[in-house]
Amino acid sequence: MPITLHTPTPASLADVVDAVATWQVEGAPVQLHSGDLGWAWRFGADKLAGELRVWRRDGEVLAAGMVDHDDGVMRLAISPAVDADEEFAAQVVDDLTDPARGVLPEGRASVEARAGTALRARLDSEGWTADEPWTPLHRSLATPVEDCGLRIASLDADHADEQVVQDRVAVNLASFPTSTFTVERWRTMAATPAYRSARCLVAYDDADHAVAMTTVWSAGRGRPGLIEPLGAHRDFRGHGHGRAITIAAAAALREMGASSATVCTPAANVGGVAAYVSAGFTRQPDSTDFRRPA
Ligand SMILES: CC(C)(COP(=O)(O)OP(=O)(O)OC[C@H]1O[C@@H](n2cnc3c(N)ncnc32)[C@H](O)[C@@H]1OP(=O)(O)O)[C@@H](O)C(=O)NCCC(=O)NCCS
């Protein structure tokens, strides 16, 4: 059967999220996660569907890619079933290489392909070169997680205290200078099927300031969960709050049945990597994106 490439409809996004969740496997490289799709869904189903491409063979979803047009990067999630599949690898590399197919933007473009042994080898042999390095981090949840030391408020799809929603959004904005998060976008995200497997956490200090936040995403019981995003309020850094919210994130994922907590951050984000390591995460070897040959 030929391998075909589609743009999903907004109505079929939940199926793509489900497929990507099942490809999260303990011990495999940390790749695009269902939680990444859930986080991107805050801008609405139409926008997310327009950023996604899905490869199928005989109805089976083999891979999904999410394009960030600003950065010219497509982030890929690949089914373990096609890890060593040469036909799949050749087809995907052809689709990514030919600008006329519109899979990757024209000009400078990269692909994040952390899984897919055959695909990675093919990109390599066709002259794709190392681009931005990312640092994956992992914490096993086989044993209970220690108390984080701060008061944590939690937001799930059915329980959303208005003040905590506002704090979640405000701390996001105070953590990432380029963030465009809003309460409306939080509500859009929280209403998606992806968020049924997610939770937001807000940490409060002794004076009841909202000091740190995160969203954690389960991919189902026994699979690695994802932290995306996580930040400490810029006015309250250097007091252990980044470490505390990371520990709280790990504890929440364990409660949700995740086998481990995972996260990826640019290798250049020294503070981010340090906060995760300080919260018991193990730093894994950096992984570079692949830059399309000129
Ligand atoms: C990364 C971030 C969460 C750290 O928050 P924080 O409250 O300042 O961190 P903590 O005080 O808990 O520090 C935790 C550890 O990281 C270290 N650390 C924190 N920022 C650091 C920096 N900029 N450079 C080097 N080390 C740093 C601390 O020394 C501490 O290490 P230790 O436990 O070994 O002493 C915060 O800087 C942030 O929100 N950054 C922007 C968003 C971001 O990058 N998020 C993470 C990646 S998605």
Side-chain angles (χ1 to χ4, degrees):
M1 287 296 278
I3 294 170
T4 54
L5 178 60
H6 308 265
T7 299
T9 60
S12 66
L13 283 178
D15 294 340
V16 179
V17 168
D18 286 349
V20 170
T22 63
W23 304 337
Q24 308 302 318
V25 182
E26 203 52 62
V30 179
Q31 64 170 339
L32 181 76
H33 191 278
S34 40
D36 290 303
L37 304 185
W39 176 234
W41 209 328
R42 70 194 182 283
F43 295 111
D46 288 338
K47 183 157 191 294
L48 176 58
E51 289 169 348
L52 284 175
R53 298 285 180 278
V54 172
W55 283 266
R56 289 177 189 265
R57 182 167 46 203
D58 203 10
E60 185 194 353
V61 185
L62 306 178
M66 181 168 71
V67 181
D68 179 331
H69 285 279
D70 294 338
D71 292 345
V73 180
M74 173 176 264
R75 305 185 58 200
L76 280 177
I78 294 161
S79 164
V82 286
D83 183 65
D85 189 321
E86 299 291 349
E87 185 202 352
F88 163 79
Q91 178 69 51
V92 173
V93 175
D94 278 0
D95 289 335
L96 294 170
T97 304
D98 182 356
R101 294 188 200 179
V103 179
L104 278 178
E106 294 194 9
R108 195 193 143 157
S110 303
V111 61
E112 176 194 292
R114 301 202 187 108
T117 312
L119 176 66
R120 288 172 58 83
R122 185 97 188 187
L123 288 164
D124 231 10
S125 70
E126 299 219 353
W128 292 59
T129 51
D131 205 339
E132 191 183 10
W134 288 76
T135 302
L137 296 116
H138 175 272
R139 176 173 167 157
S140 165
L141 298 175
T143 54
V145 175
E146 64 277 21
D147 185 75
C148 79
L150 289 181
R151 179 171 78 82
I152 301 291
S154 175
L155 295 167
D156 61 33
D158 304 322
H159 300 95
D161 179 277
E162 184 58 32
Q163 183 60 53
V164 180
V165 172
Q166 288 184 22
D167 291 343
R168 163 71 186 80
V169 172
V171 181
N172 204 105
L173 295 169
S175 299
F176 296 93
T178 56
S179 171
T180 57
F181 207 30
T182 60
V183 167
E184 198 194 334
R185 286 179 179 157
W186 186 87
R187 290 199 200 295
T188 301
M189 174 181 81
T192 66
Y195 194 75
R196 284 189 215 120
S197 314
R199 230 179 251 185
C200 288
L201 307 176
V202 180
Y204 295 87
D205 69 6
D206 290 346
D208 230 20
H209 296 118
V211 292
M213 63 77 209
T214 188
T215 306
V216 291
W217 305 85
S218 158
R221 297 194 80 78
R223 298 197 188 114
L226 178 77
I227 297 176
E228 175 61 19
L230 176 145
H233 192 300
R234 61 174 173 266
D235 295 342
F236 298 96
R237 291 196 182 150
H239 300 289
H241 302 328
R243 175 174 186 272
I245 193 74
T246 308
I247 291 170
L253 283 172
R254 187 166 195 273
E255 235 180 80
M256 294 156 84
S259 52
S260 64
T262 62
V263 66
C264 260
T265 193
N269 184 1
V270 177
V273 172
Y276 292 122
V277 169
S278 155
F281 282 61
T282 305
R283 182 177 182 159
Q284 300 185 330
D286 286 353
S287 173
T288 46
D289 291 349
F290 291 88
R291 168 106 57 101
R292 186 169 56 195

mmCIF file of all heavy atoms in Angstrom, residues 174-177 211-212 227-234 236-246 263-266 269-279, ligand 1:
data_model
loop_
_atom_site.group_PDB
_atom_site.id
_atom_site.type_symbol
_atom_site.label_atom_id
_atom_site.label_comp_id
_atom_site.label_asym_id
_atom_site.label_seq_id
_atom_site.Cartn_x
_atom_site.Cartn_y
_atom_site.Cartn_z
ATOM 1 N N ALA A 174 4.630 35.901 32.942
ATOM 2 C CA ALA A 174 5.785 36.398 33.698
ATOM 3 C C ALA A 174 6.978 35.450 33.614
ATOM 4 O O ALA A 174 8.075 35.778 34.069
ATOM 5 C CB ALA A 174 5.388 36.605 35.163
ATOM 6 N N SER A 175 6.790 34.282 33.024
ATOM 7 C CA SER A 175 7.892 33.322 32.882
ATOM 8 C C SER A 175 8.533 33.395 31.510
ATOM 9 O O SER A 175 9.743 33.204 31.373
ATOM 10 C CB SER A 175 7.366 31.886 33.069
ATOM 11 O OG SER A 175 6.820 31.711 34.346
ATOM 12 N N PHE A 176 7.709 33.624 30.498
ATOM 13 C CA PHE A 176 8.193 33.631 29.109
ATOM 14 C C PHE A 176 7.904 35.002 28.521
ATOM 15 O O PHE A 176 6.738 35.344 28.278
ATOM 16 C CB PHE A 176 7.478 32.547 28.289
ATOM 17 C CG PHE A 176 7.760 31.140 28.749
ATOM 18 C CD1 PHE A 176 6.931 30.510 29.661
ATOM 19 C CD2 PHE A 176 8.877 30.452 28.284
ATOM 20 C CE1 PHE A 176 7.187 29.215 30.094
ATOM 21 C CE2 PHE A 176 9.141 29.154 28.703
ATOM 22 C CZ PHE A 176 8.300 28.532 29.611
ATOM 23 N N PRO A 177 8.948 35.798 28.244
ATOM 24 C CA PRO A 177 8.733 37.167 27.770
ATOM 25 C C PRO A 177 7.934 37.235 26.471
ATOM 26 O O PRO A 177 7.264 38.233 26.218
ATOM 27 C CB PRO A 177 10.154 37.715 27.557
ATOM 28 C CG PRO A 177 11.099 36.682 28.031
ATOM 29 C CD PRO A 177 10.355 35.445 28.386
ATOM 30 N N VAL A 211 3.843 31.839 42.213
ATOM 31 C CA VAL A 211 5.271 31.988 41.882
ATOM 32 C C VAL A 211 5.751 31.086 40.747
ATOM 33 O O VAL A 211 6.817 31.329 40.172
ATOM 34 C CB VAL A 211 6.160 31.752 43.128
ATOM 35 C CG1 VAL A 211 5.977 32.863 44.140
ATOM 36 C CG2 VAL A 211 5.897 30.377 43.759
ATOM 37 N N ALA A 212 5.001 30.044 40.443
ATOM 38 C CA ALA A 212 5.458 29.132 39.389
ATOM 39 C C ALA A 212 4.260 28.376 38.827
ATOM 40 O O ALA A 212 3.207 28.289 39.490
ATOM 41 C CB ALA A 212 6.491 28.147 39.938
ATOM 42 N N ILE A 227 6.005 17.402 30.569
ATOM 43 C CA ILE A 227 5.872 18.729 31.181
ATOM 44 C C ILE A 227 5.971 19.757 30.058
ATOM 45 O O ILE A 227 6.984 19.812 29.366
ATOM 46 C CB ILE A 227 7.009 18.972 32.201
ATOM 47 C CG1 ILE A 227 6.917 17.979 33.347
ATOM 48 C CG2 ILE A 227 7.012 20.411 32.683
ATOM 49 C CD1 ILE A 227 8.061 18.086 34.345
ATOM 50 N N GLU A 228 4.926 20.548 29.835
ATOM 51 C CA GLU A 228 4.968 21.579 28.789
ATOM 52 C C GLU A 228 3.825 22.564 28.980
ATOM 53 O O GLU A 228 2.679 22.164 28.825
ATOM 54 C CB GLU A 228 4.895 20.928 27.413
ATOM 55 C CG GLU A 228 4.813 21.898 26.245
ATOM 56 C CD GLU A 228 6.012 22.827 26.107
ATOM 57 O OE1 GLU A 228 7.073 22.533 26.671
ATOM 58 O OE2 GLU A 228 5.874 23.861 25.458
ATOM 59 N N PRO A 229 4.050 23.777 29.307
ATOM 60 C CA PRO A 229 5.335 24.399 29.636
ATOM 61 C C PRO A 229 5.560 24.382 31.151
ATOM 62 O O PRO A 229 4.728 23.840 31.893
ATOM 63 C CB PRO A 229 5.126 25.841 29.169
ATOM 64 C CG PRO A 229 3.670 26.091 29.486
ATOM 65 C CD PRO A 229 2.960 24.769 29.314
ATOM 66 N N LEU A 230 6.652 24.978 31.599
ATOM 67 C CA LEU A 230 6.935 25.133 33.041
ATOM 68 C C LEU A 230 7.727 26.421 33.205
ATOM 69 O O LEU A 230 8.624 26.708 32.404
ATOM 70 C CB LEU A 230 7.751 23.934 33.535
ATOM 71 C CG LEU A 230 8.208 23.983 35.004
ATOM 72 C CD1 LEU A 230 8.193 22.573 35.611
ATOM 73 C CD2 LEU A 230 9.585 24.615 35.166
ATOM 74 N N GLY A 231 7.383 27.194 34.226
ATOM 75 C CA GLY A 231 8.150 28.415 34.449
ATOM 76 C C GLY A 231 7.959 28.955 35.849
ATOM 77 O O GLY A 231 6.970 28.637 36.527
ATOM 78 N N ALA A 232 8.923 29.740 36.274
ATOM 79 C CA ALA A 232 8.826 30.471 37.541
ATOM 80 C C ALA A 232 8.702 31.961 37.204
ATOM 81 O O ALA A 232 9.365 32.449 36.271
ATOM 82 C CB ALA A 232 10.055 30.224 38.400
ATOM 83 N N HIS A 233 7.863 32.636 37.943
ATOM 84 C CA HIS A 233 7.629 34.080 37.753
ATOM 85 C C HIS A 233 8.970 34.822 37.839
ATOM 86 O O HIS A 233 9.749 34.591 38.764
ATOM 87 C CB HIS A 233 6.680 34.543 38.855
ATOM 88 C CG HIS A 233 6.113 35.903 38.653
ATOM 89 N ND1 HIS A 233 6.890 37.033 38.552
ATOM 90 C CD2 HIS A 233 4.828 36.312 38.544
ATOM 91 C CE1 HIS A 233 6.116 38.085 38.384
ATOM 92 N NE2 HIS A 233 4.850 37.670 38.381
ATOM 93 N N ARG A 234 9.215 35.728 36.886
ATOM 94 C CA ARG A 234 10.538 36.397 36.836
ATOM 95 C C ARG A 234 10.855 37.159 38.125
ATOM 96 O O ARG A 234 12.023 37.337 38.475
ATOM 97 C CB ARG A 234 10.637 37.328 35.623
ATOM 98 C CG ARG A 234 9.621 38.428 35.621
ATOM 99 C CD ARG A 234 9.803 39.444 34.504
ATOM 100 N NE ARG A 234 8.660 40.331 34.546
ATOM 101 C CZ ARG A 234 7.551 40.176 33.824
ATOM 102 N NH1 ARG A 234 7.464 39.199 32.949
ATOM 103 N NH2 ARG A 234 6.527 41.002 33.963
ATOM 104 N N PHE A 236 10.246 36.154 41.092
ATOM 105 C CA PHE A 236 10.386 35.235 42.237
ATOM 106 C C PHE A 236 11.363 34.106 41.920
ATOM 107 O O PHE A 236 11.221 32.997 42.417
ATOM 108 C CB PHE A 236 9.013 34.645 42.601
ATOM 109 C CG PHE A 236 8.008 35.664 43.041
ATOM 110 C CD1 PHE A 236 7.090 36.203 42.148
ATOM 111 C CD2 PHE A 236 7.984 36.113 44.360
ATOM 112 C CE1 PHE A 236 6.159 37.149 42.545
ATOM 113 C CE2 PHE A 236 7.048 37.058 44.773
ATOM 114 C CZ PHE A 236 6.134 37.578 43.861
ATOM 115 N N ARG A 237 12.367 34.397 41.099
ATOM 116 C CA ARG A 237 13.324 33.333 40.736
ATOM 117 C C ARG A 237 14.437 33.227 41.776
ATOM 118 O O ARG A 237 14.647 34.147 42.569
ATOM 119 C CB ARG A 237 13.913 33.617 39.353
ATOM 120 C CG ARG A 237 12.848 33.435 38.295
ATOM 121 C CD ARG A 237 13.389 33.310 36.896
ATOM 122 N NE ARG A 237 12.227 33.181 35.991
ATOM 123 C CZ ARG A 237 12.189 33.594 34.742
ATOM 124 N NH1 ARG A 237 13.260 34.143 34.202
ATOM 125 N NH2 ARG A 237 11.098 33.436 34.018
ATOM 126 N N GLY A 238 15.120 32.096 41.739
ATOM 127 C CA GLY A 238 16.277 31.911 42.614
ATOM 128 C C GLY A 238 15.907 31.546 44.042
ATOM 129 O O GLY A 238 16.735 31.632 44.943
ATOM 130 N N HIS A 239 14.663 31.132 44.266
ATOM 131 C CA HIS A 239 14.228 30.741 45.620
ATOM 132 C C HIS A 239 13.794 29.281 45.676
ATOM 133 O O HIS A 239 13.084 28.884 46.599
ATOM 134 C CB HIS A 239 13.049 31.622 46.074
ATOM 135 C CG HIS A 239 13.369 33.079 46.116
ATOM 136 N ND1 HIS A 239 14.207 33.637 47.066
ATOM 137 C CD2 HIS A 239 12.992 34.083 45.302
ATOM 138 C CE1 HIS A 239 14.306 34.938 46.844
ATOM 139 N NE2 HIS A 239 13.589 35.231 45.775
ATOM 140 N N GLY A 240 14.152 28.515 44.654
ATOM 141 C CA GLY A 240 13.792 27.096 44.665
ATOM 142 C C GLY A 240 12.401 26.813 44.119
ATOM 143 O O GLY A 240 11.939 25.669 44.165
ATOM 144 N N HIS A 241 11.718 27.838 43.573
ATOM 145 C CA HIS A 241 10.348 27.602 43.106
ATOM 146 C C HIS A 241 10.322 26.812 41.789
ATOM 147 O O HIS A 241 9.395 26.034 41.551
ATOM 148 C CB HIS A 241 9.597 28.920 42.920
ATOM 149 C CG HIS A 241 9.531 29.745 44.164
ATOM 150 N ND1 HIS A 241 9.479 29.193 45.430
ATOM 151 C CD2 HIS A 241 9.503 31.096 44.349
ATOM 152 C CE1 HIS A 241 9.416 30.166 46.331
ATOM 153 N NE2 HIS A 241 9.442 31.326 45.707
ATOM 154 N N GLY A 242 11.343 27.032 40.946
ATOM 155 C CA GLY A 242 11.428 26.264 39.697
ATOM 156 C C GLY A 242 11.596 24.781 40.018
ATOM 157 O O GLY A 242 10.941 23.916 39.422
ATOM 158 N N ARG A 243 12.457 24.520 40.980
ATOM 159 C CA ARG A 243 12.664 23.133 41.417
ATOM 160 C C ARG A 243 11.355 22.566 41.992
ATOM 161 O O ARG A 243 10.944 21.455 41.666
ATOM 162 C CB ARG A 243 13.779 23.134 42.468
ATOM 163 C CG ARG A 243 14.050 21.815 43.108
ATOM 164 C CD ARG A 243 15.289 21.932 44.015
ATOM 165 N NE ARG A 243 15.648 20.632 44.532
ATOM 166 C CZ ARG A 243 15.151 20.104 45.648
ATOM 167 N NH1 ARG A 243 14.309 20.809 46.395
ATOM 168 N NH2 ARG A 243 15.507 18.907 46.020
ATOM 169 N N ALA A 244 10.685 23.367 42.836
ATOM 170 C CA ALA A 244 9.469 22.892 43.509
ATOM 171 C C ALA A 244 8.365 22.569 42.504
ATOM 172 O O ALA A 244 7.714 21.525 42.602
ATOM 173 C CB ALA A 244 8.987 23.947 44.509
ATOM 174 N N ILE A 245 8.145 23.446 41.513
ATOM 175 C CA ILE A 245 7.050 23.171 40.562
ATOM 176 C C ILE A 245 7.394 21.945 39.708
ATOM 177 O O ILE A 245 6.507 21.180 39.311
ATOM 178 C CB ILE A 245 6.719 24.417 39.683
ATOM 179 C CG1 ILE A 245 5.395 24.222 38.945
ATOM 180 C CG2 ILE A 245 7.810 24.726 38.676
ATOM 181 C CD1 ILE A 245 4.166 24.326 39.754
ATOM 182 N N THR A 246 8.683 21.723 39.479
ATOM 183 C CA THR A 246 9.078 20.538 38.697
ATOM 184 C C THR A 246 8.805 19.260 39.497
ATOM 185 O O THR A 246 8.313 18.263 38.945
ATOM 186 C CB THR A 246 10.571 20.634 38.303
ATOM 187 O OG1 THR A 246 10.799 21.888 37.672
ATOM 188 C CG2 THR A 246 10.966 19.522 37.363
ATOM 189 N N VAL A 263 10.750 15.887 29.553
ATOM 190 C CA VAL A 263 10.707 17.273 29.091
ATOM 191 C C VAL A 263 11.901 17.482 28.171
ATOM 192 O O VAL A 263 12.900 16.757 28.274
ATOM 193 C CB VAL A 263 10.747 18.249 30.307
ATOM 194 C CG1 VAL A 263 12.058 18.188 31.054
ATOM 195 C CG2 VAL A 263 10.429 19.679 29.906
ATOM 196 N N CYS A 264 11.766 18.417 27.248
ATOM 197 C CA CYS A 264 12.893 18.778 26.377
ATOM 198 C C CYS A 264 12.999 20.283 26.384
ATOM 199 O O CYS A 264 11.979 20.978 26.273
ATOM 200 C CB CYS A 264 12.616 18.332 24.949
ATOM 201 S SG CYS A 264 13.438 16.820 24.528
ATOM 202 N N THR A 265 14.206 20.779 26.473
ATOM 203 C CA THR A 265 14.396 22.223 26.453
ATOM 204 C C THR A 265 15.637 22.513 25.602
ATOM 205 O O THR A 265 16.509 21.639 25.486
ATOM 206 C CB THR A 265 14.507 22.765 27.905
ATOM 207 O OG1 THR A 265 14.385 24.181 27.893
ATOM 208 C CG2 THR A 265 15.788 22.356 28.585
ATOM 209 N N PRO A 266 15.736 23.683 24.992
ATOM 210 C CA PRO A 266 16.953 23.961 24.229
ATOM 211 C C PRO A 266 18.184 23.791 25.121
ATOM 212 O O PRO A 266 18.163 24.212 26.289
ATOM 213 C CB PRO A 266 16.787 25.429 23.803
ATOM 214 C CG PRO A 266 15.316 25.668 23.830
ATOM 215 C CD PRO A 266 14.785 24.809 24.940
ATOM 216 N N ASN A 269 19.334 26.600 27.208
ATOM 217 C CA ASN A 269 18.555 27.064 28.373
ATOM 218 C C ASN A 269 19.179 26.482 29.650
ATOM 219 O O ASN A 269 18.655 25.556 30.267
ATOM 220 C CB ASN A 269 17.092 26.641 28.229
ATOM 221 C CG ASN A 269 16.223 27.192 29.364
ATOM 222 O OD1 ASN A 269 16.699 27.903 30.253
ATOM 223 N ND2 ASN A 269 14.952 26.853 29.335
ATOM 224 N N VAL A 270 20.297 27.082 30.041
ATOM 225 C CA VAL A 270 21.091 26.563 31.163
ATOM 226 C C VAL A 270 20.260 26.508 32.441
ATOM 227 O O VAL A 270 20.300 25.530 33.198
ATOM 228 C CB VAL A 270 22.341 27.465 31.368
ATOM 229 C CG1 VAL A 270 23.148 27.013 32.567
ATOM 230 C CG2 VAL A 270 23.191 27.463 30.117
ATOM 231 N N GLY A 271 19.473 27.566 32.682
ATOM 232 C CA GLY A 271 18.650 27.619 33.899
ATOM 233 C C GLY A 271 17.591 26.534 33.902
ATOM 234 O O GLY A 271 17.345 25.884 34.924
ATOM 235 N N GLY A 272 16.950 26.326 32.745
ATOM 236 C CA GLY A 272 15.915 25.297 32.642
ATOM 237 C C GLY A 272 16.495 23.914 32.928
ATOM 238 O O GLY A 272 15.958 23.161 33.748
ATOM 239 N N VAL A 273 17.612 23.595 32.278
ATOM 240 C CA VAL A 273 18.239 22.278 32.493
ATOM 241 C C VAL A 273 18.623 22.133 33.967
ATOM 242 O O VAL A 273 18.360 21.095 34.590
ATOM 243 C CB VAL A 273 19.476 22.105 31.568
ATOM 244 C CG1 VAL A 273 20.243 20.837 31.928
ATOM 245 C CG2 VAL A 273 19.052 22.068 30.102
ATOM 246 N N ALA A 274 19.183 23.189 34.552
ATOM 247 C CA ALA A 274 19.615 23.119 35.964
ATOM 248 C C ALA A 274 18.424 22.884 36.891
ATOM 249 O O ALA A 274 18.506 22.101 37.848
ATOM 250 C CB ALA A 274 20.335 24.410 36.359
ATOM 251 N N ALA A 275 17.291 23.532 36.598
ATOM 252 C CA ALA A 275 16.112 23.362 37.464
ATOM 253 C C ALA A 275 15.609 21.918 37.393
ATOM 254 O O ALA A 275 15.252 21.324 38.416
ATOM 255 C CB ALA A 275 15.019 24.345 37.061
ATOM 256 N N TYR A 276 15.584 21.331 36.202
ATOM 257 C CA TYR A 276 15.112 19.941 36.078
ATOM 258 C C TYR A 276 16.067 18.976 36.776
ATOM 259 O O TYR A 276 15.641 18.059 37.488
ATOM 260 C CB TYR A 276 14.929 19.560 34.602
ATOM 261 C CG TYR A 276 13.789 20.298 33.928
ATOM 262 C CD1 TYR A 276 13.989 21.090 32.806
ATOM 263 C CD2 TYR A 276 12.499 20.201 34.427
ATOM 264 C CE1 TYR A 276 12.951 21.779 32.208
ATOM 265 C CE2 TYR A 276 11.442 20.888 33.834
ATOM 266 C CZ TYR A 276 11.679 21.676 32.729
ATOM 267 O OH TYR A 276 10.637 22.354 32.146
ATOM 268 N N VAL A 277 17.357 19.177 36.570
ATOM 269 C CA VAL A 277 18.336 18.276 37.216
ATOM 270 C C VAL A 277 18.199 18.389 38.728
ATOM 271 O O VAL A 277 18.212 17.388 39.455
ATOM 272 C CB VAL A 277 19.777 18.608 36.733
ATOM 273 C CG1 VAL A 277 20.816 17.891 37.584
ATOM 274 C CG2 VAL A 277 19.935 18.235 35.257
ATOM 275 N N SER A 278 18.006 19.625 39.199
ATOM 276 C CA SER A 278 17.862 19.853 40.636
ATOM 277 C C SER A 278 16.619 19.151 41.192
ATOM 278 O O SER A 278 16.563 18.793 42.372
ATOM 279 C CB SER A 278 17.823 21.362 40.859
ATOM 280 O OG SER A 278 17.166 21.694 42.020
ATOM 281 N N ALA A 279 15.619 18.927 40.313
ATOM 282 C CA ALA A 279 14.381 18.250 40.737
ATOM 283 C C ALA A 279 14.437 16.746 40.458
ATOM 284 O O ALA A 279 13.394 16.096 40.400
ATOM 285 C CB ALA A 279 13.189 18.879 40.026
HETATM 286 C C1 LIG B 1 14.143 27.746 34.671
HETATM 287 C C2 LIG B 1 13.341 28.398 35.798
HETATM 288 C C3 LIG B 1 12.025 27.647 35.941
HETATM 289 C C4 LIG B 1 14.147 28.308 37.095
HETATM 290 O O1 LIG B 1 13.343 28.856 38.129
HETATM 291 P P1 LIG B 1 13.981 29.304 39.564
HETATM 292 O O2 LIG B 1 12.842 29.408 40.499
HETATM 293 O O3 LIG B 1 14.856 30.457 39.392
HETATM 294 O O4 LIG B 1 14.858 28.001 39.863
HETATM 295 P P2 LIG B 1 15.293 27.469 41.314
HETATM 296 O O5 LIG B 1 15.538 28.612 42.216
HETATM 297 O O6 LIG B 1 14.314 26.457 41.752
HETATM 298 O O7 LIG B 1 16.659 26.771 40.969
HETATM 299 C C5 LIG B 1 16.748 25.393 40.680
HETATM 300 C C6 LIG B 1 18.177 25.066 40.314
HETATM 301 O O8 LIG B 1 18.479 25.620 39.029
HETATM 302 C C7 LIG B 1 19.618 26.484 39.148
HETATM 303 N N1 LIG B 1 19.374 27.622 38.254
HETATM 304 C C8 LIG B 1 18.230 28.340 38.147
HETATM 305 N N2 LIG B 1 18.379 29.288 37.208
HETATM 306 C C9 LIG B 1 19.642 29.167 36.742
HETATM 307 C C10 LIG B 1 20.393 29.858 35.757
HETATM 308 N N3 LIG B 1 19.855 30.865 35.053
HETATM 309 N N4 LIG B 1 21.651 29.446 35.508
HETATM 310 C C11 LIG B 1 22.193 28.408 36.176
HETATM 311 N N5 LIG B 1 21.531 27.710 37.132
HETATM 312 C C12 LIG B 1 20.271 28.092 37.402
HETATM 313 C C13 LIG B 1 19.663 26.890 40.585
HETATM 314 O O9 LIG B 1 20.969 27.250 40.968
HETATM 315 C C14 LIG B 1 19.199 25.636 41.282
HETATM 316 O O10 LIG B 1 20.253 24.698 41.329
HETATM 317 P P3 LIG B 1 20.580 23.883 42.691
HETATM 318 O O11 LIG B 1 19.280 23.234 43.119
HETATM 319 O O12 LIG B 1 21.604 22.899 42.242
HETATM 320 O O13 LIG B 1 21.033 24.906 43.652
HETATM 321 C C15 LIG B 1 13.068 29.913 35.507
HETATM 322 O O14 LIG B 1 14.293 30.558 35.255
HETATM 323 C C16 LIG B 1 12.167 30.140 34.303
HETATM 324 O O15 LIG B 1 10.955 30.161 34.454
HETATM 325 N N6 LIG B 1 12.759 30.361 33.118
HETATM 326 C C17 LIG B 1 11.990 30.668 31.905
HETATM 327 C C18 LIG B 1 11.141 29.510 31.461
HETATM 328 C C19 LIG B 1 11.933 28.238 31.281
HETATM 329 O O16 LIG B 1 13.042 28.233 30.775
HETATM 330 N N7 LIG B 1 11.326 27.095 31.668
HETATM 331 C C20 LIG B 1 11.984 25.790 31.656
HETATM 332 C C21 LIG B 1 12.128 25.184 30.348
HETATM 333 S S1 LIG B 1 10.603 24.878 29.543
#
